[in-house]
Amino acid sequence: MFVSGRILDTSGQPIPNTTIEVWETDAEGFYDTQYTDRQEPDCRGGLRSQDDGSYAFRGIVPVAYPIPGDNLQDVTSDKEARAKGFESGPFKLLQKDFVLVRQEEAKIARAERAAKTVPDKAKVEC
């Protein structure tokens, strides 16, 4: 599986040098933390976004587990897959951009949301 995307702020600007932590399941669909006999992390990796906020890595196509909308799509051709460094199929491509919110922006968004959820006292009937 080839995974790529960008790390952006809320205005669409790239965030360079962002630490990205990747966890994958094993062939049984379990993460290392789900085992009691594991002494060290397994099936994990880390990378950083580039200056333009982009990132890319190869991973193992996960076994099925119940998460709807996982956004996995077939790569459109063998030529495309081979250009990305894959040697055999079936191929999957996951492209995802992540938008990171700064703490100040999160506070404002929470306050705005809270203000919208407070009932209008004039409309409340007792």
Side-chain angles (χ1 to χ4, degrees):
M1 174 173 63
F2 186 78
V3 181
S4 66
R6 298 174 301 157
I7 308 295
L8 308 170
D9 66 17
T10 55
S11 65
Q13 296 301 306
I15 303 176
N17 204 34
T18 301
T19 300
I20 302 165
E21 190 173 308
V22 179
W23 289 40
E24 293 188 279
T25 63
D26 62 15
E28 303 301 318
F30 295 107
Y31 292 98
D32 60 353
T33 57
Q34 294 176 285
Y35 291 95
T36 58
D37 62 344
R38 296 279 168 99
Q39 302 300 317
E40 297 178 4
D42 192 21
C43 300
R44 296 190 204 180
L47 61 148
R48 292 188 175 276
S49 61
Q50 302 297 310
D51 288 342
D52 64 354
S54 67
Y55 66 90
F57 64 92
R58 291 183 202 174
I60 299 167
V61 176
V63 295
Y65 58 99
I67 297 180
D70 63 5
N71 296 325
L72 286 177
Q73 301 173 351
D74 289 328
V75 173
T76 57
S77 69
D78 280 348
K79 182 178 179 182
E80 178 185 355
R82 293 190 198 308
K84 295 182 184 304
F86 292 98
E87 295 179 10
S88 63
F91 302 108
K92 299 287 182 186
L93 174 64
L94 175 62
Q95 293 179 307
K96 188 75 173 176
D97 291 348
F98 292 93
V99 176
L100 300 182
V101 179
R102 298 184 190 283
Q103 280 189 325
E104 313 85 64
E105 294 170 311
K107 282 182 182 179
I108 292 168
R110 285 187 196 106
E112 288 173 354
R113 186 172 185 177
K116 289 179 184 177
T117 58
V118 174
D120 184 350
K121 291 181 182 178
K123 295 179 182 177
V124 175
E125 295 180 22
C126 298

